[in-house]
Amino acid sequence: MPGGLGFQISEDSKYPMTDDWKGLFERGRVIPPHSQTVRQAQDSSHTHSQGFQIILKHLDGPHIQREKKEGESEGSRKREPVKYQLSVSLFDTSHQHFFGRTWKSSPQQMSGVNRAMFNEVVYLHTSLRLPSVVAVVELVALQPRADGSQHALGCGFAILHLFSSMTEPQATEGDRRLSLYHGTPRTLLHPLLRDPIEQNKLLTPIDGAHLVCSLKPHPALAPAMHLFPQNMLVSGDENIPGVTPSPTGDSLLKPHMVKSLTCFLDRLSISLHPSLEKFESQLLQHVSTDCHNTKHSGPESSAVVVIQERRLHVGVHNGWGFLERPQVVVLETTEATDCSRGRKGTLTRDCSSPSQSLALRSSLELKLPSHQAVGIALQLEYVFSSPLVGDGKLSSTSTISRTAFMQCLRWGVWCPFQEWGALRAEEMKFSLQGGSTPNPYGIMAYTSSSNSQSPAQVVDERDMVRFRLSSSSVQKASSSTAVSLRRSRTGQEEMAAQHRKPPSPSPGRSRRASHASPPGSPQGPGLSMSQLAATSRYPTMSHSTAVSPWQQPFSSQLYPSPLASAHQLSHVELPAASNITHLEVDLNVSHRDRLPTYQSAALANEGHLELQELPFTPIHAPIITMGTHAAPSSSSVSSRSSLAHLYSASFPYITDPSGLVAEVLDPTEPVNFDPQREEADPLQGNVLLLQFLAFSRIPQQGGSSNWPDSVHFTFQLYRFPPVTTQRLKLLAIDKLPKKSSETPPCVLAVINKDGTVNSGSPGLQLQFRVDGAFLQPGERRWFLRYLALHTLQVDVWDSQSLLLIGSTALGLKHMLRQGRPAVQATHELEVITTEYMGEGVPVSLHRASNPISVFTTIKGRLHLRLGNVGCPVDQNKPNKPQCLPPSRSHIISPPDATSGFTGGSLSSKSIQRLNVRNAARAQRLVELDGDLVPLLQSHMKEGGGTPRTNTPWWGETDDVRQRKLNRMVAVRQHEGGQDGTGSEVKTKVTGRRAERAQLARDLRLMHAYRERSKAEGITHILSQAITIHHTLYATLGTAEYLEYVLRNPFNTPQTVTIYSEDPELSVITDCDEWRYFKTLTKTLTPLEEDMFHLKEGTLAPQVYLRPKESVHVPLKYQTFVSDNSVVPQGPSLIPSVRSTQVAKKHLSNTVLAKSIKVTFRAEDGKPLAICQVSVEPTPHVIDQTFRFYQPELSFLKKALRLPPWERTPVGDTDAGSQISVRCSDPNVICETKMLAQGEPQDVYLKVPGSPSPQIRKFFVTVFTDKWLAVPAQVWQVYVHFLQRVDISCVTGQRTCQSLVIRGTQATRKVRCYTSHPQELKVDPAEVFVLLPGVVQDLQLCVCPLRAGSRFCYLTVVDVEQHTLVACWLLSLTCRLPILSKAFEMCAPVGGGRGSTRKITYTNPYPTSRVLLLRSDHPDLLQFKEDRFEIGGGETYRIGLRFAPSQSPGAQEILIYINNQEEITEETFCVKVKYT
């Protein structure tokens, strides 16, 4: 730590990015924690490591800046500005001990507001979750010197407490402000400084200096914790072999592992200088002398120390630590007489090996991540045996018990990927070394060098190891050799091996070893005593064994090696352990005994026809639920120049009712919400305004700089209908300077129906009026709660191709006015899209599946302004009650007494005095029953005396019948010759007689109808007297709890049966569930155990009531069914104006409105009481939206990973980690499985397919409580079903595919669009006419630049209606071509004009050719000429121009030389090293 612990700062970078193993190993060494601290953590059951994330945001230090300026001299002020750096170290306050490794941030300058912005993330994993473990953060000022170095000066330090007494991380609820203290962290080593540290008088805080940071657990670090040691502070941009670098620069935020390659190491032999016999003779002499000098034994002690066993530790090391615990194998001495045969066909043909060597007769299986810093670490270890006397001292007497100890002799590391790109099955060799040089195993090695030699001279090139490493299976020759060697053992050795027993280690050591060691490789049979006695915790341990003869007695105690204990490195903590794997073949074990358990069980049950299910869980690669509400940033990232030119476009202002500009709120500041202030606001109405101002393009790889050309947006606000805006044109700002490096924002302008751009005010403003005419009684509180908690998600679409660009989200809390007349807030939101890579990987029972890689890409930035203008309530309309009506209470109580029926319209009481529940007004029969109208033939009269004719029974209307009568009268007049007057009189008389006959018939019909329906009508009127109405405001998935007070009005006991018309409204019969809902709703009513029992033969609950007794019947309404209709894809063609009338016609149809009747029937079947529940829909909050693209008519199977939220809701102490899910679509299978606490939970979806281009929408509700009361998450899922086309192609080469589209019912003008226009070309590319029913061929040409598998999209859009006609899902599988030549060059890092090179190409054809040049990295490589002509046999020099890089590293660039048909002729590979 600078100024505190004396570490030096490098001026190049905070950490050198060395890619070789040696550099990583030297940088990855850590100081171990105090042994007492480790023991305390183990006693507290903190054995497993847990990942954490420390976010260092910014530092406020006005006094630091002032003191620094005052301390500078006049000469120093002319130098470069001072930069500040943070260094973080772990400190144990109990033992005043620094441990781990100091992490250093990037240097930052102090801004004008005396603030240094760091915004750096530090990761670590540790098992020392104790309150005494803290993080010390020191602020260091870096002043450049004239010689290029930097002068580091400590400016103060802060203390971050990591864990509380509950072993949980502190400050998980938000940011923390740490005070800075004067001095350096060396102050913490003062003997008078004890806990609590902050209250000690030795620490003096710096006035006004604070460090803002946060600490939270990071479960996503678990897959990568084995790649770097515990207590090591690392950054996400550090080079950790085994972790795939992230394009975002933070590879540890969501780490992805590098794919491992399974390799086999065989034919291993070790030769020691000058020969094995002389080396071991000299070794025994040195060991015996060391034992004699240590234990003061007799002079004859050197003759009794013998070599017991020769071992080899083999492990995979990435420079930071072992990826798995090393394997330990036993070596055998062999004669090197088959030199030529053993090295036949290998790279090395050196046959000058000694006569004897150490060999491994079997092969080892290793898993190697493909990284150049991953190495194979070898350690040669000898086991020695010496006599042990009773007091524990060594003795030369051979008749007493003996002890064994081990010593490391040689070690070495070989990196297989450092020199080659792939493994080759050839013999390799490298030298082993010894001495005190640090090694991966953390112990000192033996050296035969004299004391005068330096440690750098202990490397002996003649101590060699030879082996072969291949990715194929083990050769059969190795197995047969091992079998023959095992058979050659003498009978005496076999008998002695059977009588050997392992010693029993001490209980404490065995318990720690078993607890700390991870699962190792399976051990073979017939382990020797020394192997079974090995303890995995300590590498230089001892075990009881014997040399020869085997019949000597052994001691059960273990003693460390006197030679090794003196050279043990105390500051290196080894990863868990060496596991000994015996690789000999046991011929006594049958084939069935070597099979796995499930295969042995299958062979034992061969006679059974039924297959036994294996313990296998179907694996769907999980998709992490990372909602867009957390990803976009609301802070402005555009420059002041861009914002100034942007807002000069004269966007409309948001003004209050008095015409003043609304108050501007900062979207980064928190909002204080006071419900009482909202209730007291005189402006009870709200006019919500959304202004879409501009969109900033972000250049995409392989895309056009002018994409997108036009956009439209879709969203849904509260329970207004879903909104699809008009098309908006992106107009570039011409006033920005040309030298500006940032992408300027484009102003949005509305596109008219004819395709022209609207010349009015720029942007798009949408208005939503929420006042008393829109809200239901009591709904205003729900609306304010919606604004305070909800996040509005906006989808951004390309209006030309109708492809989704991305999504963004913003909180609506800044639309709360809090008594102000109007407010507004401007947001600059990141439009992001999430791509799921790695789909289609086959899942095997015996092989782990690769997880889906989730990549989040920023597609652009949306400039959006939100506003809320208060408006008064219309006084001309009757005011609705602002509070909830009494029916909103959870208890439904009927009136104490019911009055009798007082009559209908004939009652003498006025209508105001009547009880509306049991009063009815008399009505005409034709108004009560419409089926009676066709049966009546008389002309009914309305109240005004106007005759109203009814339709006759034969079905003719009055006009037709009157016309026929007039025609008949005219015929009779003409035939009889009578005058008109007599005819009229006769006609009237005849008409009156017919009318009287019809009336008499209708009266008889109505009398019969009245007698028949009298009983039904009276029953209906009487049922109204016992019916009580209640209104529920239901939300999807949320359970509404009710209690109905049921009273027995009789003097006899009754058993009441409860019937519900709809199963969604049910009775709560479980006592625990009843108690849970009462606690949740805070309902203080009596609760009774075992109150209900089910009626025989039905599921209707029954309750027993005593005379005149009243009980509370718990009811629950909950629905998971919703209307899953989807808005047609495409922009809106009508002006986007929203009013309250439109909103009232399109109420949210997520939950259907209905009326449910609950009847309480007595023992005689008559209703005792009726509860009529009216269900009114209310909107629900959507936490996250998923969009999947699936081939048509196929099942979509996905696994969604749940976020790690707090799963125990309030009031539910028994809920545990139980998670349940429900789906709104009954045709979708949605399920999850209950796992142990701490295990990740996945939700599995299985969605049936539909034809293209249909879209299926449904909702998924996730519950964390046992009784499914309130959903913890609500997801909205869209599944787009498309036509799938699989295309296999070669990078850099054009591949053609023919598609067919059929015309619809009408003639359309259509155009084709692709998601990757630089790699996908469609013919026809322009607008063409698609005739009805005509089949049109589309020619698709694919020319990919990168290898791998991915999905692309092709859409056919109606350019007039802007609707989607057809859509294809293109599955591309791209492979690399065969390389012709390879080149290597170096290029500088940083600014500049880049580098130029030339390579030659020779035309192998005898004729002239025209060739085209392509590159897979057009952003890094440009050609002088993209097209050239070369004669037959001639040579052409291709000019290359490489763009400069901003960071060091290496990049391979492919150059494709294609002919005119875009077929690759040659492929060159250029490896560019940026240094």
Side-chain angles (χ1 to χ4, degrees), residues 703-716:
S704 174
S705 59
N706 296 327
W707 178 87
D709 181 71
S710 59
V711 297
H712 66 274
F713 308 96
T714 58
F715 62 92
Q716 183 171 4

Side-chain angles (χ1 to χ4, degrees), residues 708-712 725-731 747-761 763-764 798-800 1131-1136 1359 1362:
D709 181 71
S710 59
V711 297
H712 66 274
T725 67
Q726 298 171 266
R727 293 183 298 148
L728 301 174
K729 182 75 173 180
L730 274 68
L731 302 179
V747 177
L748 298 177
V750 177
I751 301 178
N752 300 324
K753 293 183 179 179
D754 56 357
T756 60
V757 180
N758 191 353
S759 60
S761 59
L764 175 65
D798 185 357
S799 298
Q800 291 184 343
S1132 175
L1133 298 179
I1134 60 175
S1136 300
V1359 296
H1362 301 286

Side-chain angles (χ1 to χ4, degrees), residues 889-901:
S889 114
H890 297 288
I891 303 176
I892 307 174
S893 300
D896 296 338
T898 56
S899 59
F901 177 66

Side-chain angles (χ1 to χ4, degrees), residues 250-284:
D250 192 349
S251 60
L252 295 181
L253 180 62
K254 294 182 180 297
H256 301 279
M257 301 299 103
V258 175
K259 185 178 179 181
S260 298
L261 181 65
T262 301
C263 301
F264 297 89
L265 187 148
D266 55 357
R267 297 186 183 180
L268 185 143
S269 63
I270 298 177
S271 58
L272 300 175
H273 177 75
S275 64
L276 181 61
E277 296 86 353
K278 295 182 180 180
F279 177 87
E280 292 184 349
S281 176
Q282 185 182 10
L283 174 65
L284 288 176

